[in-house]
Coordinates of all heavy atoms in Angstrom, one line a residue:
M996 N 0.8 -1.2 0.0 CA 0.0 0.0 0.0 C 0.9 1.3 0.0 O 0.6 2.2 -0.7 CB -0.9 -0.1 1.2 CG -1.9 1.1 1.2 SD -3.1 0.9 -0.1 CE -4.3 1.9 0.4
N997 N 1.9 1.2 0.8 CA 2.9 2.4 0.9 C 3.5 2.7 -0.5 O 3.6 3.8 -0.9 CB 3.9 2.1 1.9 CG 4.7 3.4 2.2 OD1 4.2 4.5 2.0 ND2 5.9 3.2 2.8
R998 N 3.8 1.6 -1.2 CA 4.4 1.8 -2.5 C 3.4 2.4 -3.5 O 3.8 3.3 -4.3 CB 4.9 0.5 -3.0 CG 5.6 0.6 -4.4 CD 6.2 -0.7 -4.9 NE 6.8 -0.4 -6.1 CZ 7.3 -1.2 -6.9 NH1 7.3 -2.5 -6.6 NH2 7.8 -0.9 -8.1
M999 N 2.2 2.0 -3.4 CA 1.1 2.5 -4.3 C 1.0 4.0 -4.0 O 0.8 4.8 -4.9 CB -0.2 1.8 -4.1 CG -1.3 2.3 -5.0 SD -0.9 2.2 -6.7 CE -1.4 0.5 -7.0
M1000 N 1.0 4.4 -2.8 CA 0.8 5.8 -2.4 C 2.0 6.6 -3.0 O 1.8 7.8 -3.4 CB 0.8 6.0 -0.9 CG -0.5 5.4 -0.3 SD -2.0 6.3 -0.8 CE -1.8 7.8 0.2
R1001 N 3.2 6.1 -2.9 CA 4.4 6.8 -3.4 C 4.2 7.0 -4.9 O 4.5 8.0 -5.5 CB 5.6 6.0 -3.1 CG 6.9 6.7 -3.6 CD 8.1 5.9 -3.3 NE 8.3 6.0 -1.9 CZ 9.2 5.3 -1.2 NH1 9.9 4.3 -1.9 NH2 9.3 5.4 0.1
I1002 N 3.8 5.9 -5.7 CA 3.6 6.0 -7.1 C 2.5 7.1 -7.4 O 2.7 7.9 -8.3 CB 3.2 4.7 -7.7 CG1 4.4 3.7 -7.6 CG2 2.8 4.8 -9.2 CD1 4.1 2.3 -7.9
V1003 N 1.4 7.1 -6.7 CA 0.4 8.1 -7.0 C 0.9 9.5 -6.7 O 0.6 10.4 -7.5 CB -0.9 7.7 -6.1 CG1 -1.9 8.9 -6.2 CG2 -1.5 6.4 -6.6
S1004 N 1.6 9.6 -5.6 CA 2.2 11.0 -5.3 C 3.1 11.5 -6.3 O 3.1 12.6 -6.7 CB 2.9 10.9 -3.9 OG 2.0 10.6 -2.9
I1005 N 4.0 10.6 -6.8 CA 4.9 11.0 -7.9 C 4.1 11.4 -9.1 O 4.5 12.4 -9.8 CB 5.9 9.9 -8.2 CG1 6.9 9.7 -7.0 CG2 6.7 10.1 -9.5 CD1 7.8 8.5 -7.0
A1006 N 3.1 10.6 -9.5 CA 2.3 10.9 -10.7 C 1.6 12.3 -10.5 O 1.6 13.1 -11.5 CB 1.3 9.8 -10.9
L1007 N 1.1 12.6 -9.4 CA 0.4 13.9 -9.2 C 1.4 15.0 -9.2 O 1.1 16.1 -9.8 CB -0.3 13.9 -7.8 CG -1.5 13.0 -7.7 CD1 -2.1 12.9 -6.3 CD2 -2.6 13.4 -8.7
V1008 N 2.6 14.8 -8.7 CA 3.6 15.9 -8.8 C 4.0 16.1 -10.2 O 4.1 17.3 -10.7 CB 4.9 15.6 -7.9 CG1 6.0 16.5 -8.2 CG2 4.5 15.6 -6.4
A1009 N 4.2 15.1 -11.0 CA 4.6 15.2 -12.4 C 3.5 15.9 -13.2 O 3.7 16.8 -14.0 CB 4.8 13.8 -13.0
L1010 N 2.2 15.6 -12.9 CA 1.1 16.3 -13.6 C 1.1 17.8 -13.2 O 0.8 18.6 -14.1 CB -0.2 15.7 -13.2 CG -0.6 14.4 -13.9 CD1 -1.8 13.8 -13.3 CD2 -0.7 14.6 -15.4
A1011 N 1.3 18.1 -12.0 CA 1.3 19.5 -11.5 C 2.4 20.3 -12.2 O 2.2 21.4 -12.5 CB 1.5 19.6 -10.0
L1012 N 3.6 19.6 -12.4 CA 4.7 20.3 -13.0 C 4.5 20.5 -14.5 O 4.9 21.5 -15.1 CB 6.0 19.6 -12.8 CG 6.5 19.6 -11.3 CD1 7.7 18.6 -11.2 CD2 6.8 21.0 -10.9
A1013 N 3.8 19.6 -15.1 CA 3.5 19.6 -16.6 C 2.4 20.6 -16.9 O 2.4 21.2 -18.1 CB 3.2 18.3 -17.1
A1014 N 1.5 20.9 -16.1 CA 0.4 21.7 -16.4 C 0.8 23.1 -16.8 O 0.2 23.6 -17.8 CB -0.6 21.8 -15.2
P1015 N 1.7 23.9 -16.2 CA 2.0 25.2 -16.6 C 2.6 25.2 -18.0 O 2.3 26.1 -18.8 CB 3.0 25.7 -15.6 CG 2.8 24.9 -14.4 CD 2.3 23.6 -14.9
A1016 N 3.4 24.2 -18.4 CA 4.0 24.1 -19.7 C 2.9 23.9 -20.8 O 2.9 24.5 -21.8 CB 5.0 23.0 -19.8
T1017 N 1.9 23.1 -20.4 CA 0.8 22.8 -21.4 C 0.0 24.1 -21.5 O -0.4 24.4 -22.6 CB -0.1 21.7 -20.8 OG1 0.8 20.5 -20.7 CG2 -1.2 21.4 -21.8
A1018 N -0.2 24.8 -20.4 CA -1.0 26.0 -20.5 C -0.3 27.0 -21.3 O -0.9 27.8 -22.1 CB -1.3 26.5 -19.1
Q1019 N 1.0 27.2 -21.2 CA 1.8 28.1 -22.0 C 1.7 27.8 -23.5 O 1.6 28.6 -24.3 CB 3.3 28.1 -21.5 CG 4.2 28.9 -22.4 CD 3.9 30.4 -22.3 OE1 3.5 30.8 -21.2 NE2 4.1 31.1 -23.3
R1020 N 1.8 26.5 -23.8 CA 1.8 26.1 -25.2 C 0.4 26.5 -25.8 O 0.3 27.0 -26.9 CB 2.0 24.6 -25.3 CG 1.8 24.0 -26.7 CD 2.9 24.2 -27.6 NE 4.1 23.5 -27.2 CZ 5.3 23.8 -27.6 NH1 5.5 24.7 -28.5 NH2 6.3 23.2 -27.1
R1021 N -0.7 26.2 -25.0 CA -2.0 26.6 -25.5 C -2.1 28.1 -25.7 O -2.7 28.5 -26.6 CB -3.1 26.1 -24.6 CG -3.3 24.6 -24.6 CD -4.5 24.1 -23.8 NE -4.5 22.7 -23.7 CZ -4.7 22.0 -22.7 NH1 -5.0 22.7 -21.5 NH2 -4.7 20.7 -22.6
G1022 N -1.5 28.8 -24.8 CA -1.6 30.3 -24.9 C -0.8 30.8 -26.1 O -1.3 31.6 -26.8
D1023 N 0.3 30.2 -26.4 CA 1.1 30.5 -27.6 C 0.3 30.2 -28.8 O 0.2 31.0 -29.7 CB 2.4 29.7 -27.7 CG 3.4 30.1 -26.7 OD1 3.3 31.2 -26.0 OD2 4.4 29.4 -26.6
Q1024 N -0.4 29.0 -28.9 CA -1.1 28.6 -30.0 C -2.3 29.6 -30.2 O -2.6 30.0 -31.4 CB -1.6 27.2 -29.9 CG -0.5 26.2 -30.0 CD -1.0 24.8 -29.6 OE1 -2.2 24.6 -29.1 NE2 -0.2 23.8 -29.9
Y1025 N -3.0 29.9 -29.2 CA -4.1 30.8 -29.3 C -3.7 32.2 -29.8 O -4.3 32.8 -30.7 CB -4.9 30.9 -28.0 CG -6.1 31.8 -28.1 CD1 -7.2 31.3 -28.7 CD2 -6.2 33.1 -27.5 CE1 -8.4 32.1 -28.9 CE2 -7.3 33.8 -27.7 CZ -8.4 33.3 -28.3 OH -9.5 34.1 -28.4
R1026 N -2.6 32.7 -29.2 CA -2.2 34.1 -29.6 C -1.7 34.1 -31.1 O -2.0 35.0 -31.8 CB -1.0 34.5 -28.7 CG -1.5 35.0 -27.4 CD -0.4 35.8 -26.7 NE 0.9 35.1 -26.6 CZ 1.2 34.2 -25.6 NH1 0.3 33.9 -24.7 NH2 2.3 33.6 -25.6
A1027 N -1.1 33.0 -31.5 CA -0.7 32.9 -32.9 C -1.9 32.8 -33.8 O -1.9 33.5 -34.9 CB 0.3 31.7 -33.1
Y1028 N -2.8 32.0 -33.4 CA -4.1 31.9 -34.2 C -4.8 33.2 -34.4 O -5.2 33.6 -35.5 CB -5.0 30.8 -33.6 CG -6.3 30.8 -34.2 CD1 -6.5 30.1 -35.4 CD2 -7.5 31.4 -33.6 CE1 -7.8 30.0 -36.0 CE2 -8.7 31.3 -34.2 CZ -8.8 30.6 -35.4 OH -10.1 30.6 -36.0
E1029 N -5.0 33.9 -33.2 CA -5.6 35.2 -33.2 C -4.9 36.2 -34.1 O -5.5 36.9 -34.9 CB -5.8 35.7 -31.8 CG -6.8 35.1 -31.0 CD -8.2 35.4 -31.4 OE1 -8.5 36.6 -31.5 OE2 -9.0 34.5 -31.7
A1030 N -3.6 36.3 -34.0 CA -2.8 37.2 -34.8 C -2.8 36.9 -36.3 O -2.9 37.8 -37.1 CB -1.3 37.2 -34.3
H1031 N -2.9 35.6 -36.6 CA -3.0 35.2 -38.0 C -4.4 35.5 -38.6 O -4.5 36.1 -39.7 CB -2.7 33.7 -38.2 CG -2.8 33.2 -39.6 ND1 -3.0 34.0 -40.7 CD2 -2.7 32.0 -40.1 CE1 -3.1 33.3 -41.8 NE2 -2.9 32.1 -41.5
Q1032 N -5.4 35.2 -37.8 CA -6.8 35.5 -38.2 C -7.0 37.0 -38.5 O -7.8 37.4 -39.4 CB -7.8 35.0 -37.2 CG -7.9 33.5 -37.2 CD -8.3 32.9 -38.5 OE1 -7.5 32.3 -39.2 NE2 -9.6 33.0 -38.8
S1033 N -6.3 37.8 -37.7 CA -6.5 39.3 -37.9 C -5.6 39.8 -39.0 O -5.6 41.0 -39.3 CB -6.3 40.0 -36.6 OG -4.9 39.9 -36.2
G1034 N -4.8 39.0 -39.6 CA -3.9 39.4 -40.7 C -2.6 40.1 -40.2 O -1.9 40.6 -41.1
R1035 N -2.3 40.0 -38.9 CA -1.1 40.7 -38.4 C 0.2 39.9 -38.7 O 1.3 40.4 -38.7 CB -1.2 41.0 -36.9 CG -2.2 42.0 -36.7 CD -2.4 42.3 -35.2 NE -2.7 41.0 -34.6 CZ -3.1 40.8 -33.3 NH1 -3.2 41.8 -32.5 NH2 -3.4 39.6 -32.8
V1036 N 0.1 38.5 -38.8 CA 1.2 37.7 -38.9 C 1.0 36.6 -39.9 O -0.2 36.3 -40.3 CB 1.6 37.0 -37.6 CG1 2.0 38.1 -36.5 CG2 0.6 36.1 -37.1
L1037 N 2.1 36.0 -40.4 CA 2.0 34.8 -41.3 C 1.6 33.6 -40.4 O 1.8 33.6 -39.2 CB 3.3 34.6 -42.0 CG 3.8 35.7 -42.9 CD1 5.2 35.4 -43.3 CD2 2.9 35.8 -44.1
S1038 N 1.1 32.6 -41.0 CA 0.7 31.4 -40.3 C 2.0 30.6 -40.0 O 3.1 30.8 -40.7 CB -0.2 30.5 -41.2 OG 0.5 29.9 -42.2
L1039 N 1.9 29.8 -39.0 CA 3.1 28.9 -38.6 C 3.5 28.1 -39.8 O 4.7 27.9 -40.1 CB 2.7 28.1 -37.4 CG 3.8 27.0 -37.0 CD1 5.1 27.8 -36.7 CD2 3.3 26.2 -35.9
R1040 N 2.5 27.6 -40.6 CA 2.8 26.7 -41.7 C 3.7 27.5 -42.8 O 4.6 27.0 -43.3 CB 1.5 26.3 -42.4 CG 1.7 25.6 -43.7 CD 1.8 24.1 -43.7 NE 0.7 23.5 -43.0 CZ 0.8 22.3 -42.4 NH1 2.0 21.7 -42.4 NH2 -0.2 21.8 -41.7
E1041 N 3.3 28.8 -43.0 CA 4.1 29.6 -43.9 C 5.5 29.8 -43.4 O 6.5 29.7 -44.2 CB 3.4 30.9 -44.1 CG 2.1 30.8 -44.9 CD 1.4 32.1 -44.9 OE1 0.9 32.6 -43.9 OE2 1.3 32.8 -46.0
I1042 N 5.7 30.1 -42.1 CA 7.0 30.3 -41.5 C 7.8 29.0 -41.6 O 9.0 29.0 -42.1 CB 6.9 30.7 -40.0 CG1 6.1 32.0 -39.9 CG2 8.2 30.7 -39.3 CD1 6.9 33.2 -40.5
E1043 N 7.2 27.9 -41.3 CA 7.9 26.6 -41.4 C 8.3 26.3 -42.8 O 9.4 25.8 -43.0 CB 7.0 25.4 -40.8 CG 6.9 25.5 -39.3 CD 5.9 24.5 -38.7 OE1 5.0 24.1 -39.5 OE2 5.9 24.2 -37.6
D1044 N 7.4 26.5 -43.7 CA 7.8 26.3 -45.2 C 9.0 27.1 -45.6 O 9.7 26.6 -46.5 CB 6.6 26.6 -46.1 CG 5.5 25.6 -46.0 OD1 5.7 24.5 -45.4 OD2 4.3 25.9 -46.5
R1045 N 9.2 28.2 -45.0 CA 10.3 29.1 -45.4 C 11.6 28.6 -44.7 O 12.7 28.7 -45.2 CB 10.1 30.5 -45.0 CG 9.0 31.2 -45.9 CD 8.8 32.6 -45.5 NE 7.7 33.1 -46.2 CZ 7.5 34.4 -46.4 NH1 8.3 35.3 -45.9 NH2 6.4 34.9 -47.1
I1046 N 11.5 28.2 -43.4 CA 12.7 28.0 -42.6 C 13.2 26.5 -42.6 O 14.4 26.3 -42.6 CB 12.4 28.4 -41.1 CG1 12.0 29.9 -41.1 CG2 13.6 28.2 -40.2 CD1 12.9 30.9 -41.7
L1047 N 12.3 25.6 -42.6 CA 12.7 24.2 -42.4 C 13.7 23.8 -43.5 O 14.6 23.1 -43.3 CB 11.5 23.2 -42.4 CG 11.0 22.9 -41.0 CD1 10.7 24.1 -40.1 CD2 9.9 21.9 -41.0
P1048 N 13.4 24.2 -44.8 CA 14.4 23.8 -45.9 C 15.8 24.3 -45.6 O 16.8 23.7 -46.0 CB 13.8 24.4 -47.1 CG 12.4 24.5 -46.9 CD 12.3 24.8 -45.4
R1049 N 15.9 25.4 -44.9 CA 17.3 26.0 -44.6 C 18.0 25.2 -43.5 O 19.2 25.4 -43.3 CB 17.1 27.4 -44.1 CG 16.5 28.3 -45.1 CD 16.5 29.7 -44.5 NE 15.7 30.6 -45.3 CZ 15.5 31.9 -45.0 NH1 16.1 32.4 -43.9 NH2 14.7 32.7 -45.7
M1050 N 17.3 24.4 -42.8 CA 17.8 23.7 -41.6 C 18.0 22.2 -41.9 O 17.9 21.3 -41.0 CB 16.9 23.9 -40.4 CG 16.7 25.3 -40.0 SD 18.3 26.1 -39.5 CE 18.7 25.2 -38.0
R1051 N 18.4 21.9 -43.1 CA 18.6 20.5 -43.4 C 19.7 19.9 -42.5 O 20.6 20.5 -42.1 CB 19.1 20.3 -44.9 CG 18.1 20.8 -45.9 CD 18.4 20.3 -47.3 NE 17.7 21.1 -48.3 CZ 16.5 21.0 -48.6 NH1 15.7 20.2 -47.9 NH2 15.9 21.7 -49.5
G1052 N 19.5 18.6 -42.1 CA 20.4 17.9 -41.2 C 20.0 18.2 -39.8 O 20.7 17.6 -38.9
S1053 N 19.0 18.9 -39.5 CA 18.5 19.2 -38.1 C 17.2 18.5 -37.9 O 16.4 18.3 -38.8 CB 18.4 20.7 -37.9 OG 19.6 21.4 -38.1
T1054 N 16.9 18.2 -36.7 CA 15.6 17.7 -36.3 C 14.8 18.9 -35.8 O 15.2 19.6 -34.8 CB 15.7 16.6 -35.2 OG1 16.5 15.6 -35.7 CG2 14.4 16.1 -34.8
Y1055 N 13.6 19.1 -36.4 CA 12.7 20.2 -35.9 C 11.9 19.7 -34.6 O 11.3 18.7 -34.7 CB 11.7 20.5 -37.0 CG 10.8 21.6 -36.7 CD1 11.2 22.8 -36.2 CD2 9.4 21.5 -37.0 CE1 10.3 23.8 -35.9 CE2 8.5 22.5 -36.8 CZ 8.9 23.6 -36.2 OH 8.0 24.6 -36.0
L1056 N 12.1 20.5 -33.6 CA 11.4 20.1 -32.3 C 10.1 20.9 -32.1 O 9.4 20.4 -31.2 CB 12.4 20.4 -31.2 CG 13.7 19.6 -31.3 CD1 14.7 20.0 -30.1 CD2 13.5 18.1 -31.3
G1057 N 9.9 22.0 -32.8 CA 8.7 22.7 -32.6 C 8.8 24.2 -32.4 O 9.9 24.7 -32.3
P1058 N 7.7 24.9 -32.4 CA 7.7 26.3 -32.4 C 7.3 26.9 -31.0 O 6.7 26.2 -30.2 CB 6.6 26.7 -33.4 CG 5.6 25.6 -33.1 CD 6.4 24.4 -32.9
E1059 N 7.6 28.2 -30.8 CA 7.0 29.0 -29.7 C 6.6 30.3 -30.4 O 7.1 30.6 -31.5 CB 8.1 29.3 -28.7 CG 8.5 28.1 -27.8 CD 9.5 28.5 -26.7 OE1 9.8 29.7 -26.6 OE2 10.0 27.6 -26.1
F1060 N 5.6 31.0 -29.8 CA 5.2 32.2 -30.4 C 5.1 33.3 -29.3 O 4.6 33.0 -28.2 CB 3.8 32.1 -31.0 CG 3.3 33.3 -31.6 CD1 3.8 33.8 -32.9 CD2 2.3 34.1 -31.0 CE1 3.3 35.0 -33.4 CE2 1.8 35.3 -31.6 CZ 2.3 35.7 -32.8
D1061 N 5.8 34.4 -29.6 CA 5.8 35.5 -28.6 C 5.5 36.8 -29.3 O 6.4 37.4 -29.8 CB 7.2 35.5 -27.9 CG 7.2 36.5 -26.8 OD1 6.2 37.0 -26.3 OD2 8.3 37.0 -26.4
G1062 N 4.2 37.1 -29.3 CA 3.8 38.4 -30.0 C 4.1 38.3 -31.5 O 3.4 37.7 -32.2
G1063 N 5.1 39.1 -31.9 CA 5.5 39.2 -33.3 C 6.6 38.3 -33.7 O 7.2 38.5 -34.8
V1064 N 7.0 37.3 -32.9 CA 8.2 36.5 -33.2 C 7.8 35.0 -33.0 O 7.3 34.6 -32.0 CB 9.4 36.8 -32.3 CG1 10.5 35.9 -32.6 CG2 9.8 38.3 -32.5
Y1065 N 8.1 34.2 -34.1 CA 8.1 32.8 -34.0 C 9.5 32.4 -33.6 O 10.4 32.8 -34.2 CB 7.7 32.1 -35.3 CG 6.2 32.2 -35.6 CD1 5.8 33.0 -36.6 CD2 5.3 31.3 -35.0 CE1 4.4 33.1 -36.9 CE2 4.0 31.3 -35.4 CZ 3.5 32.2 -36.3 OH 2.2 32.2 -36.7
R1066 N 9.6 31.4 -32.6 CA 10.9 30.9 -32.3 C 10.8 29.4 -32.6 O 10.1 28.7 -31.9 CB 11.2 31.1 -30.8 CG 12.5 30.6 -30.4 CD 12.9 31.2 -29.0 NE 14.0 32.0 -29.2 CZ 15.0 32.2 -28.3 NH1 14.9 31.6 -27.1 NH2 16.0 32.9 -28.6
L1067 N 11.6 29.0 -33.5 CA 11.6 27.6 -34.0 C 12.8 26.9 -33.3 O 14.0 27.4 -33.4 CB 11.7 27.5 -35.5 CG 10.6 28.2 -36.3 CD1 10.8 28.0 -37.8 CD2 9.2 27.9 -35.8
K1068 N 12.6 25.7 -32.8 CA 13.6 25.0 -32.1 C 14.1 23.7 -32.9 O 13.2 23.0 -33.3 CB 13.1 24.5 -30.7 CG 14.1 23.8 -29.8 CD 13.4 23.5 -28.5 CE 14.4 22.9 -27.5 NZ 13.7 22.5 -26.2
F1069 N 15.4 23.6 -33.0 CA 16.0 22.5 -33.8 C 17.0 21.8 -32.9 O 17.6 22.4 -32.0 CB 16.6 23.0 -35.1 CG 15.6 23.6 -36.0 CD1 15.4 24.9 -36.0 CD2 15.0 22.8 -37.0 CE1 14.5 25.6 -36.8 CE2 14.2 23.5 -37.9 CZ 13.9 24.8 -37.8
M1070 N 17.4 20.6 -33.3 CA 18.5 19.8 -32.7 C 19.4 19.3 -33.8 O 18.9 18.8 -34.8 CB 17.9 18.6 -31.9 CG 19.0 17.8 -31.2 SD 19.7 18.6 -29.7 CE 18.4 18.2 -28.6
R1071 N 20.7 19.6 -33.6 CA 21.7 19.1 -34.6 C 22.9 18.7 -33.9 O 23.5 19.5 -33.1 CB 22.0 20.2 -35.6 CG 23.0 19.7 -36.6 CD 23.5 20.8 -37.6 NE 22.4 21.3 -38.4 CZ 22.4 22.5 -39.0 NH1 23.4 23.3 -38.7 NH2 21.4 22.8 -39.8
S1072 N 23.3 17.5 -34.0 CA 24.5 17.0 -33.4 C 24.6 17.2 -31.9 O 25.6 17.6 -31.3 CB 25.8 17.6 -34.1 OG 25.8 17.3 -35.4
G1073 N 23.4 17.0 -31.3 CA 23.4 17.2 -29.8 C 23.3 18.6 -29.3 O 23.2 18.9 -28.1
S1074 N 23.2 19.6 -30.2 CA 23.1 21.0 -29.8 C 21.7 21.5 -30.2 O 21.2 21.2 -31.3 CB 24.1 21.8 -30.6 OG 25.4 21.5 -30.2
V1075 N 21.2 22.3 -29.3 CA 19.9 23.0 -29.6 C 20.1 24.3 -30.4 O 21.0 25.1 -30.0 CB 19.1 23.3 -28.3 CG1 17.8 24.0 -28.6 CG2 18.8 22.0 -27.6
I1076 N 19.3 24.5 -31.4 CA 19.5 25.7 -32.2 C 18.1 26.4 -32.2 O 17.1 25.8 -32.5 CB 19.8 25.4 -33.7 CG1 21.2 24.6 -33.7 CG2 19.9 26.6 -34.5 CD1 21.5 24.0 -35.1
W1077 N 18.1 27.7 -31.9 CA 16.8 28.5 -31.9 C 16.9 29.4 -33.1 O 17.9 30.1 -33.3 CB 16.7 29.3 -30.6 CG 16.5 28.5 -29.4 CD1 17.5 28.1 -28.5 CD2 15.2 28.0 -28.9 NE1 16.9 27.4 -27.5 CE2 15.5 27.3 -27.7 CE3 14.0 28.1 -29.4 CZ2 14.5 26.7 -27.0 CZ3 13.0 27.4 -28.6 CH2 13.3 26.8 -27.4
V1078 N 15.9 29.5 -33.9 CA 15.8 30.4 -35.0 C 14.6 31.3 -34.7 O 13.5 30.9 -34.7 CB 15.7 29.7 -36.4 CG1 15.5 30.7 -37.5 CG2 16.8 28.7 -36.6
D1079 N 14.9 32.6 -34.6 CA 13.8 33.6 -34.4 C 13.4 34.2 -35.7 O 14.3 34.7 -36.5 CB 14.3 34.7 -33.4 CG 14.7 34.2 -32.0 OD1 14.0 33.2 -31.6 OD2 15.5 34.7 -31.4
V1080 N 12.1 34.2 -35.9 CA 11.6 34.7 -37.2 C 10.5 35.8 -37.0 O 9.6 35.6 -36.2 CB 10.9 33.5 -38.0 CG1 10.4 33.9 -39.4 CG2 11.9 32.3 -38.1
D1081 N 10.6 36.8 -37.7 CA 9.6 37.9 -37.7 C 8.3 37.3 -38.2 O 8.3 36.9 -39.4 CB 10.1 39.1 -38.5 CG 9.1 40.3 -38.4 OD1 7.9 40.1 -38.9 OD2 9.6 41.3 -38.0
A1082 N 7.3 37.4 -37.4 CA 6.0 36.7 -37.8 C 5.3 37.5 -38.9 O 4.5 36.9 -39.6 CB 5.1 36.6 -36.5
R1083 N 5.6 38.7 -39.0 CA 4.9 39.5 -40.1 C 5.5 39.3 -41.4 O 4.8 39.2 -42.5 CB 4.9 41.0 -39.8 CG 4.1 41.4 -38.6 CD 4.1 42.9 -38.3 NE 5.4 43.4 -38.0 CZ 6.2 44.2 -38.8 NH1 5.7 44.6 -39.9 NH2 7.4 44.5 -38.4
T1084 N 6.9 39.2 -41.5 CA 7.6 39.2 -42.8 C 8.2 37.8 -43.1 O 8.5 37.5 -44.3 CB 8.7 40.2 -42.8 OG1 9.7 39.7 -41.8 CG2 8.3 41.6 -42.5
G1085 N 8.4 37.0 -42.1 CA 9.0 35.7 -42.3 C 10.5 35.7 -42.4 O 11.2 34.7 -42.6
A1086 N 11.1 36.9 -42.1 CA 12.5 37.1 -42.1 C 13.2 36.5 -40.8 O 12.6 36.8 -39.8 CB 12.9 38.6 -42.3
V1087 N 14.3 35.9 -41.0 CA 15.1 35.4 -39.8 C 15.7 36.7 -39.2 O 16.3 37.5 -39.8 CB 16.2 34.4 -40.2 CG1 17.0 34.1 -39.0 CG2 15.5 33.2 -40.8
I1088 N 15.4 36.8 -37.8 CA 15.9 38.0 -37.1 C 16.9 37.6 -36.1 O 17.5 38.5 -35.4 CB 14.7 38.9 -36.5 CG1 13.9 38.0 -35.6 CG2 13.9 39.5 -37.6 CD1 12.8 38.8 -34.9
G1089 N 17.1 36.3 -35.8 CA 18.1 35.9 -34.8 C 18.2 34.4 -34.9 O 17.4 33.7 -35.3
R1090 N 19.4 34.0 -34.4 CA 19.7 32.6 -34.3 C 20.6 32.4 -33.2 O 21.6 33.1 -33.0 CB 20.3 32.1 -35.6 CG 20.6 30.7 -35.7 CD 21.1 30.3 -37.0 NE 21.7 29.0 -37.0 CZ 21.8 28.2 -38.0 NH1 21.3 28.5 -39.2 NH2 22.3 27.0 -37.9
S1091 N 20.4 31.3 -32.4 CA 21.3 31.1 -31.3 C 21.6 29.5 -31.2 O 20.7 28.8 -31.6 CB 20.8 31.6 -29.9 OG 19.5 30.9 -29.6
G1092 N 22.8 29.2 -30.7 CA 23.2 27.8 -30.7 C 23.6 27.4 -32.1 O 22.9 27.8 -33.1
Y1093 N 24.7 26.7 -32.2 CA 25.1 26.3 -33.6 C 25.6 24.9 -33.5 O 25.9 24.1 -33.2 CB 26.2 27.2 -34.1 CG 25.7 28.6 -34.5 CD1 25.7 29.6 -33.5 CD2 25.1 28.9 -35.7 CE1 25.2 30.8 -33.7 CE2 24.6 30.1 -36.0 CZ 24.6 31.1 -35.0 OH 24.1 32.4 -35.3

């Protein structure tokens, strides 16, 4: 019984820690959707279509959206690479990690 309580406790802690990350992701998605619907930014699909071909040899891990900037995350040879893209124009405005 004690072991079962420990397993349940660990599971509850893991869920509590994951909830803010999930909420943040939903918030990012909603803000990007709203901005695209209003015509202020390009869609994520359009941004990915422009950037992914430039990142050959990398594994695409996913996007983040912060107002007017999409941040695309890649992995190459064990290193994380972030590519910041202007959401209005699709231009690369920054890159970190190589």
Side-chain angles (χ1 to χ4, degrees):
M996 186 67 163
N997 191 20
R998 182 173 181 189
M999 181 60 85
M1000 292 294 285
R1001 181 179 290 166
I1002 291 171
V1003 169
S1004 296
I1005 291 170
L1007 289 174
V1008 168
L1010 282 172
L1012 293 174
T1017 302
Q1019 174 66 35
R1020 173 80 62 201
R1021 285 189 192 135
D1023 286 351
Q1024 291 172 349
Y1025 182 73
R1026 283 194 308 275
Y1028 173 78
E1029 286 288 307
H1031 178 7
Q1032 289 300 103
S1033 68
R1035 293 178 303 192
V1036 301
L1037 297 172
S1038 71
L1039 176 60
R1040 171 92 55 208
E1041 291 171 290
I1042 298 293
E1043 289 172 337
D1044 286 348
R1045 292 178 185 203
I1046 304 303
L1047 269 56
R1049 299 182 192 180
M1050 298 299 294
R1051 295 194 199 290
S1053 299
T1054 301
Y1055 180 49
L1056 302 176
E1059 290 181 8
F1060 181 74
D1061 185 19
V1064 177
Y1065 283 104
R1066 180 166 246 214
L1067 308 182
K1068 184 177 182 181
F1069 298 88
M1070 179 75 80
R1071 180 187 293 156
S1072 301
S1074 296
V1075 175
I1076 301 168
W1077 294 96
V1078 178
D1079 296 331
V1080 182
D1081 184 297
R1083 290 181 299 112
T1084 66
V1087 174
I1088 57 174
R1090 183 174 165 155
S1091 60
Y1093 292 90

